[in-house]
Amino acid sequence: MTTETQDKAAECAREARKQAALLAPGKVRDALLEKARQYEAEMPDEKLH
């Protein structure tokens, strides 16, 4: 994964978590959190913060 791709994936993970935090528990929130986890699983730890 290139640095540019890693940066984009990290930003997508952060945005998904941000959006999920605004929602009540439910299917949409769960889907956003799952997508964030998928992005984060592909990232080196230093890109997540």
Side-chain angles (χ1 to χ4, degrees):
M1 190 178 269
T2 67
T3 300
E4 183 178 329
T5 305
Q6 290 175 348
D7 290 345
K8 181 66 175 171
E11 178 60 31
C12 288
R14 282 191 294 271
E15 184 62 26
R17 286 200 178 277
K18 179 180 167 184
Q19 293 298 319
L22 300 173
L23 298 172
K27 289 183 180 185
V28 175
R29 181 174 176 259
D30 291 346
L32 282 169
L33 291 172
E34 178 59 30
K35 186 51 101 174
R37 282 189 288 274
Q38 290 172 358
Y39 281 123
E40 291 164 352
E42 299 175 9
M43 302 301 306
D45 289 337
E46 67 272 6
K47 290 286 186 183
L48 296 176
H49 306 287

Short mmCIF file of all heavy atoms in Angstrom, two decimals:
data_model
loop_
_atom_site.label_atom_id
_atom_site.label_comp_id
_atom_site.label_asym_id
_atom_site.label_seq_id
_atom_site.Cartn_x
_atom_site.Cartn_y
_atom_site.Cartn_z
N MET A 1 0.86 -1.17 0.00
CA MET A 1 0.00 0.00 0.00
C MET A 1 0.90 1.23 0.00
O MET A 1 1.81 1.34 0.81
CB MET A 1 -0.89 -0.04 1.25
CG MET A 1 -1.99 0.98 1.25
SD MET A 1 -3.07 0.86 2.71
CE MET A 1 -4.31 -0.25 2.10
N THR A 2 0.66 2.17 -0.90
CA THR A 2 1.47 3.38 -0.97
C THR A 2 1.13 4.32 0.19
O THR A 2 0.08 4.19 0.83
CB THR A 2 1.22 4.13 -2.29
OG1 THR A 2 -0.12 4.62 -2.29
CG2 THR A 2 1.47 3.25 -3.50
N THR A 3 2.01 5.26 0.44
CA THR A 3 1.78 6.24 1.51
C THR A 3 0.50 7.02 1.26
O THR A 3 -0.28 7.25 2.18
CB THR A 3 2.98 7.20 1.61
OG1 THR A 3 4.15 6.44 1.89
CG2 THR A 3 2.77 8.22 2.71
N GLU A 4 0.27 7.41 0.02
CA GLU A 4 -0.95 8.16 -0.33
C GLU A 4 -2.20 7.32 -0.05
O GLU A 4 -3.17 7.81 0.52
CB GLU A 4 -0.91 8.57 -1.80
CG GLU A 4 -2.11 9.42 -2.20
CD GLU A 4 -2.02 9.86 -3.65
OE1 GLU A 4 -0.91 10.05 -4.17
OE2 GLU A 4 -3.08 10.03 -4.26
N THR A 5 -2.16 6.05 -0.40
CA THR A 5 -3.28 5.15 -0.15
C THR A 5 -3.48 4.94 1.34
O THR A 5 -4.61 4.91 1.83
CB THR A 5 -3.05 3.81 -0.86
OG1 THR A 5 -2.82 4.05 -2.25
CG2 THR A 5 -4.24 2.89 -0.72
N GLN A 6 -2.38 4.81 2.06
CA GLN A 6 -2.46 4.64 3.52
C GLN A 6 -3.08 5.87 4.17
O GLN A 6 -3.91 5.75 5.07
CB GLN A 6 -1.08 4.38 4.11
CG GLN A 6 -0.53 3.03 3.76
CD GLN A 6 0.90 2.84 4.24
OE1 GLN A 6 1.55 3.79 4.66
NE2 GLN A 6 1.37 1.61 4.18
N ASP A 7 -2.67 7.04 3.71
CA ASP A 7 -3.22 8.28 4.26
C ASP A 7 -4.72 8.37 4.00
O ASP A 7 -5.49 8.76 4.88
CB ASP A 7 -2.52 9.49 3.66
CG ASP A 7 -1.08 9.66 4.14
OD1 ASP A 7 -0.70 9.01 5.13
OD2 ASP A 7 -0.35 10.43 3.50
N LYS A 8 -5.12 8.00 2.82
CA LYS A 8 -6.55 8.04 2.46
C LYS A 8 -7.34 7.04 3.29
O LYS A 8 -8.43 7.35 3.79
CB LYS A 8 -6.71 7.76 0.96
CG LYS A 8 -8.13 7.80 0.47
CD LYS A 8 -8.70 9.20 0.57
CE LYS A 8 -10.08 9.21 -0.05
NZ LYS A 8 -10.78 10.44 0.19
N ALA A 9 -6.81 5.84 3.47
CA ALA A 9 -7.50 4.82 4.26
C ALA A 9 -7.61 5.26 5.71
O ALA A 9 -8.65 5.07 6.35
CB ALA A 9 -6.77 3.48 4.16
N ALA A 10 -6.56 5.88 6.25
CA ALA A 10 -6.60 6.37 7.63
C ALA A 10 -7.65 7.45 7.77
O ALA A 10 -8.41 7.48 8.75
CB ALA A 10 -5.23 6.89 8.04
N GLU A 11 -7.73 8.34 6.81
CA GLU A 11 -8.74 9.41 6.85
C GLU A 11 -10.15 8.83 6.75
O GLU A 11 -11.05 9.27 7.46
CB GLU A 11 -8.49 10.41 5.71
CG GLU A 11 -9.51 11.52 5.65
CD GLU A 11 -9.58 12.36 6.91
OE1 GLU A 11 -8.55 12.52 7.59
OE2 GLU A 11 -10.67 12.88 7.22
N CYS A 12 -10.34 7.85 5.91
CA CYS A 12 -11.65 7.20 5.78
C CYS A 12 -12.05 6.51 7.09
O CYS A 12 -13.21 6.58 7.49
CB CYS A 12 -11.64 6.20 4.63
SG CYS A 12 -11.60 6.97 3.01
N ALA A 13 -11.11 5.86 7.73
CA ALA A 13 -11.39 5.21 9.01
C ALA A 13 -11.79 6.23 10.05
O ALA A 13 -12.77 6.04 10.79
CB ALA A 13 -10.17 4.42 9.48
N ARG A 14 -11.05 7.33 10.13
CA ARG A 14 -11.39 8.39 11.10
C ARG A 14 -12.77 8.97 10.82
O ARG A 14 -13.56 9.19 11.74
CB ARG A 14 -10.34 9.51 11.07
CG ARG A 14 -9.05 9.16 11.79
CD ARG A 14 -8.16 10.38 11.95
NE ARG A 14 -7.67 10.86 10.67
CZ ARG A 14 -6.55 10.45 10.08
NH1 ARG A 14 -5.81 9.53 10.66
NH2 ARG A 14 -6.17 10.94 8.94
N GLU A 15 -13.06 9.22 9.57
CA GLU A 15 -14.36 9.80 9.20
C GLU A 15 -15.50 8.83 9.51
O GLU A 15 -16.56 9.25 10.00
CB GLU A 15 -14.37 10.19 7.72
CG GLU A 15 -15.63 10.90 7.29
CD GLU A 15 -15.89 12.22 7.99
OE1 GLU A 15 -14.93 12.87 8.45
OE2 GLU A 15 -17.07 12.61 8.09
N ALA A 16 -15.32 7.56 9.23
CA ALA A 16 -16.35 6.57 9.53
C ALA A 16 -16.63 6.52 11.03
O ALA A 16 -17.79 6.48 11.46
CB ALA A 16 -15.94 5.19 9.01
N ARG A 17 -15.58 6.54 11.84
CA ARG A 17 -15.75 6.54 13.30
C ARG A 17 -16.43 7.82 13.77
O ARG A 17 -17.27 7.80 14.67
CB ARG A 17 -14.42 6.35 14.00
CG ARG A 17 -13.92 4.94 13.88
CD ARG A 17 -12.90 4.60 14.94
NE ARG A 17 -12.49 3.22 14.81
CZ ARG A 17 -13.15 2.19 15.33
NH1 ARG A 17 -14.24 2.38 16.00
NH2 ARG A 17 -12.72 0.96 15.15
N LYS A 18 -16.06 8.95 13.18
CA LYS A 18 -16.68 10.23 13.53
C LYS A 18 -18.18 10.20 13.24
O LYS A 18 -18.99 10.62 14.07
CB LYS A 18 -15.99 11.35 12.74
CG LYS A 18 -16.53 12.72 12.99
CD LYS A 18 -15.77 13.73 12.15
CE LYS A 18 -16.45 15.06 12.12
NZ LYS A 18 -15.76 16.01 11.23
N GLN A 19 -18.54 9.71 12.07
CA GLN A 19 -19.95 9.64 11.69
C GLN A 19 -20.70 8.65 12.57
O GLN A 19 -21.84 8.89 12.98
CB GLN A 19 -20.09 9.25 10.22
CG GLN A 19 -19.60 10.30 9.26
CD GLN A 19 -20.36 11.60 9.36
OE1 GLN A 19 -21.57 11.61 9.48
NE2 GLN A 19 -19.64 12.70 9.31
N ALA A 20 -20.08 7.52 12.88
CA ALA A 20 -20.71 6.51 13.73
C ALA A 20 -20.99 7.07 15.12
O ALA A 20 -22.02 6.74 15.74
CB ALA A 20 -19.84 5.26 13.82
N ALA A 21 -20.10 7.91 15.61
CA ALA A 21 -20.26 8.49 16.95
C ALA A 21 -21.50 9.38 17.04
O ALA A 21 -22.06 9.57 18.12
CB ALA A 21 -19.02 9.28 17.34
N LEU A 22 -21.96 9.88 15.92
CA LEU A 22 -23.13 10.76 15.90
C LEU A 22 -24.45 9.99 15.86
O LEU A 22 -25.51 10.59 16.05
CB LEU A 22 -23.07 11.69 14.67
CG LEU A 22 -21.86 12.61 14.59
CD1 LEU A 22 -21.84 13.33 13.26
CD2 LEU A 22 -21.86 13.59 15.75
N LEU A 23 -24.37 8.69 15.62
CA LEU A 23 -25.57 7.88 15.44
C LEU A 23 -25.92 7.07 16.68
O LEU A 23 -25.04 6.70 17.46
CB LEU A 23 -25.37 6.91 14.27
CG LEU A 23 -25.13 7.53 12.90
CD1 LEU A 23 -24.77 6.46 11.90
CD2 LEU A 23 -26.35 8.31 12.45
N ALA A 24 -27.21 6.81 16.82
CA ALA A 24 -27.67 5.89 17.85
C ALA A 24 -27.29 4.47 17.42
O ALA A 24 -27.09 4.20 16.24
CB ALA A 24 -29.18 6.01 18.00
N PRO A 25 -27.19 3.56 18.39
CA PRO A 25 -26.89 2.17 18.01
C PRO A 25 -27.89 1.65 16.98
O PRO A 25 -29.08 1.94 17.05
CB PRO A 25 -27.03 1.41 19.34
CG PRO A 25 -26.73 2.44 20.38
CD PRO A 25 -27.30 3.73 19.83
N GLY A 26 -27.38 0.93 16.01
CA GLY A 26 -28.23 0.36 14.97
C GLY A 26 -27.39 -0.16 13.82
O GLY A 26 -26.15 -0.15 13.87
N LYS A 27 -28.06 -0.57 12.77
CA LYS A 27 -27.38 -1.20 11.63
C LYS A 27 -26.44 -0.25 10.90
O LYS A 27 -25.34 -0.66 10.51
CB LYS A 27 -28.41 -1.75 10.65
CG LYS A 27 -29.14 -2.97 11.18
CD LYS A 27 -30.10 -3.52 10.15
CE LYS A 27 -30.83 -4.73 10.71
NZ LYS A 27 -31.68 -5.36 9.70
N VAL A 28 -26.84 1.00 10.72
CA VAL A 28 -25.99 1.95 10.00
C VAL A 28 -24.72 2.23 10.81
O VAL A 28 -23.61 2.21 10.27
CB VAL A 28 -26.75 3.25 9.69
CG1 VAL A 28 -25.82 4.29 9.06
CG2 VAL A 28 -27.93 2.97 8.77
N ARG A 29 -24.89 2.46 12.10
CA ARG A 29 -23.74 2.70 12.98
C ARG A 29 -22.81 1.49 12.97
O ARG A 29 -21.59 1.63 12.85
CB ARG A 29 -24.22 2.99 14.39
CG ARG A 29 -23.10 3.28 15.36
CD ARG A 29 -23.69 3.69 16.72
NE ARG A 29 -22.65 3.87 17.69
CZ ARG A 29 -22.34 2.98 18.64
NH1 ARG A 29 -23.03 1.87 18.75
NH2 ARG A 29 -21.38 3.21 19.48
N ASP A 30 -23.37 0.31 13.09
CA ASP A 30 -22.57 -0.92 13.07
C ASP A 30 -21.80 -1.07 11.76
O ASP A 30 -20.64 -1.47 11.76
CB ASP A 30 -23.45 -2.15 13.30
CG ASP A 30 -24.01 -2.22 14.71
OD1 ASP A 30 -23.53 -1.48 15.60
OD2 ASP A 30 -24.94 -3.02 14.91
N ALA A 31 -22.44 -0.73 10.66
CA ALA A 31 -21.79 -0.83 9.35
C ALA A 31 -20.63 0.16 9.25
O ALA A 31 -19.56 -0.18 8.71
CB ALA A 31 -22.80 -0.58 8.24
N LEU A 32 -20.81 1.38 9.77
CA LEU A 32 -19.73 2.36 9.74
C LEU A 32 -18.55 1.90 10.60
O LEU A 32 -17.39 2.04 10.20
CB LEU A 32 -20.23 3.71 10.25
CG LEU A 32 -21.05 4.53 9.25
CD1 LEU A 32 -21.71 5.70 9.95
CD2 LEU A 32 -20.17 5.01 8.11
N LEU A 33 -18.84 1.37 11.76
CA LEU A 33 -17.76 0.88 12.64
C LEU A 33 -17.03 -0.30 12.01
O LEU A 33 -15.80 -0.41 12.12
CB LEU A 33 -18.32 0.51 14.01
CG LEU A 33 -18.81 1.70 14.84
CD1 LEU A 33 -19.51 1.21 16.10
CD2 LEU A 33 -17.68 2.64 15.18
N GLU A 34 -17.76 -1.17 11.35
CA GLU A 34 -17.13 -2.31 10.67
C GLU A 34 -16.23 -1.81 9.54
O GLU A 34 -15.12 -2.31 9.34
CB GLU A 34 -18.19 -3.27 10.13
CG GLU A 34 -17.61 -4.44 9.37
CD GLU A 34 -16.64 -5.30 10.18
OE1 GLU A 34 -16.80 -5.38 11.42
OE2 GLU A 34 -15.72 -5.89 9.57
N LYS A 35 -16.69 -0.82 8.78
CA LYS A 35 -15.89 -0.27 7.69
C LYS A 35 -14.62 0.37 8.26
O LYS A 35 -13.53 0.20 7.70
CB LYS A 35 -16.71 0.75 6.90
CG LYS A 35 -16.01 1.26 5.67
CD LYS A 35 -15.48 0.16 4.80
CE LYS A 35 -16.32 -0.13 3.62
NZ LYS A 35 -15.69 -1.12 2.73
N ALA A 36 -14.75 1.08 9.37
CA ALA A 36 -13.58 1.68 10.01
C ALA A 36 -12.58 0.60 10.42
O ALA A 36 -11.37 0.75 10.21
CB ALA A 36 -14.00 2.51 11.22
N ARG A 37 -13.08 -0.49 10.99
CA ARG A 37 -12.20 -1.59 11.40
C ARG A 37 -11.49 -2.20 10.18
O ARG A 37 -10.31 -2.56 10.26
CB ARG A 37 -12.99 -2.67 12.14
CG ARG A 37 -13.28 -2.30 13.57
CD ARG A 37 -13.86 -3.47 14.36
NE ARG A 37 -15.23 -3.80 13.98
CZ ARG A 37 -16.31 -3.22 14.49
NH1 ARG A 37 -16.20 -2.29 15.41
NH2 ARG A 37 -17.50 -3.58 14.08
N GLN A 38 -12.19 -2.30 9.07
CA GLN A 38 -11.58 -2.85 7.86
C GLN A 38 -10.44 -1.95 7.38
O GLN A 38 -9.37 -2.43 7.00
CB GLN A 38 -12.62 -3.01 6.77
CG GLN A 38 -13.61 -4.12 7.04
CD GLN A 38 -14.75 -4.15 6.04
OE1 GLN A 38 -14.84 -3.31 5.14
NE2 GLN A 38 -15.65 -5.10 6.20
N TYR A 39 -10.69 -0.65 7.35
CA TYR A 39 -9.64 0.29 6.95
C TYR A 39 -8.46 0.20 7.90
O TYR A 39 -7.31 0.15 7.49
CB TYR A 39 -10.15 1.73 6.94
CG TYR A 39 -10.97 2.11 5.73
CD1 TYR A 39 -12.26 2.60 5.87
CD2 TYR A 39 -10.45 2.01 4.45
CE1 TYR A 39 -13.01 2.96 4.77
CE2 TYR A 39 -11.19 2.37 3.33
CZ TYR A 39 -12.47 2.85 3.50
OH TYR A 39 -13.21 3.21 2.42
N GLU A 40 -8.74 0.17 9.21
CA GLU A 40 -7.68 0.15 10.21
C GLU A 40 -6.87 -1.14 10.15
O GLU A 40 -5.67 -1.12 10.43
CB GLU A 40 -8.28 0.35 11.60
CG GLU A 40 -8.80 1.76 11.78
CD GLU A 40 -9.73 1.92 12.97
OE1 GLU A 40 -10.10 0.91 13.60
OE2 GLU A 40 -10.08 3.07 13.26
N ALA A 41 -7.49 -2.23 9.78
CA ALA A 41 -6.77 -3.51 9.70
C ALA A 41 -5.70 -3.47 8.61
O ALA A 41 -4.71 -4.21 8.69
CB ALA A 41 -7.76 -4.64 9.43
N GLU A 42 -5.86 -2.60 7.65
CA GLU A 42 -4.91 -2.49 6.54
C GLU A 42 -3.80 -1.48 6.82
O GLU A 42 -2.86 -1.39 6.05
CB GLU A 42 -5.64 -2.06 5.27
CG GLU A 42 -6.69 -3.03 4.81
CD GLU A 42 -7.47 -2.53 3.62
OE1 GLU A 42 -7.11 -1.49 3.05
OE2 GLU A 42 -8.47 -3.17 3.26
N MET A 43 -3.92 -0.75 7.92
CA MET A 43 -3.01 0.35 8.19
C MET A 43 -1.92 0.00 9.18
O MET A 43 -2.18 -0.70 10.15
CB MET A 43 -3.80 1.53 8.77
CG MET A 43 -4.92 2.03 7.90
SD MET A 43 -4.34 2.57 6.30
CE MET A 43 -3.10 3.71 6.78
N PRO A 44 -0.72 0.55 8.97
CA PRO A 44 0.29 0.47 10.03
C PRO A 44 -0.22 1.28 11.22
O PRO A 44 -0.90 2.29 11.04
CB PRO A 44 1.54 1.11 9.41
CG PRO A 44 1.26 1.24 7.96
CD PRO A 44 -0.22 1.19 7.78
N ASP A 45 0.10 0.90 12.42
CA ASP A 45 -0.41 1.56 13.62
C ASP A 45 -0.14 3.06 13.65
O ASP A 45 -0.98 3.82 14.11
CB ASP A 45 0.17 0.93 14.88
CG ASP A 45 -0.39 -0.45 15.14
OD1 ASP A 45 -1.49 -0.76 14.64
OD2 ASP A 45 0.27 -1.22 15.84
N GLU A 46 1.00 3.52 13.17
CA GLU A 46 1.32 4.94 13.25
C GLU A 46 0.41 5.81 12.40
O GLU A 46 0.29 7.01 12.63
CB GLU A 46 2.79 5.20 12.92
CG GLU A 46 3.18 4.92 11.48
CD GLU A 46 3.61 3.48 11.24
OE1 GLU A 46 3.51 2.65 12.15
OE2 GLU A 46 4.03 3.19 10.11
N LYS A 47 -0.26 5.26 11.41
CA LYS A 47 -1.15 6.03 10.54
C LYS A 47 -2.53 6.24 11.16
O LYS A 47 -3.31 7.02 10.66
CB LYS A 47 -1.34 5.33 9.19
CG LYS A 47 -0.12 5.36 8.33
CD LYS A 47 0.09 6.71 7.77
CE LYS A 47 1.25 6.71 6.78
NZ LYS A 47 1.51 8.02 6.26
N LEU A 48 -2.84 5.56 12.24
CA LEU A 48 -4.18 5.63 12.81
C LEU A 48 -4.35 6.81 13.74
O LEU A 48 -5.47 7.10 14.15
CB LEU A 48 -4.50 4.32 13.55
CG LEU A 48 -4.56 3.10 12.65
CD1 LEU A 48 -4.78 1.85 13.50
CD2 LEU A 48 -5.66 3.23 11.62
N HIS A 49 -3.30 7.51 14.09
CA HIS A 49 -3.42 8.57 15.10
C HIS A 49 -3.12 9.92 14.53
O HIS A 49 -2.72 10.20 13.53
CB HIS A 49 -2.49 8.29 16.26
CG HIS A 49 -2.70 6.93 16.83
ND1 HIS A 49 -3.80 6.60 17.59
CD2 HIS A 49 -2.00 5.79 16.71
CE1 HIS A 49 -3.75 5.33 17.94
NE2 HIS A 49 -2.66 4.82 17.41
#
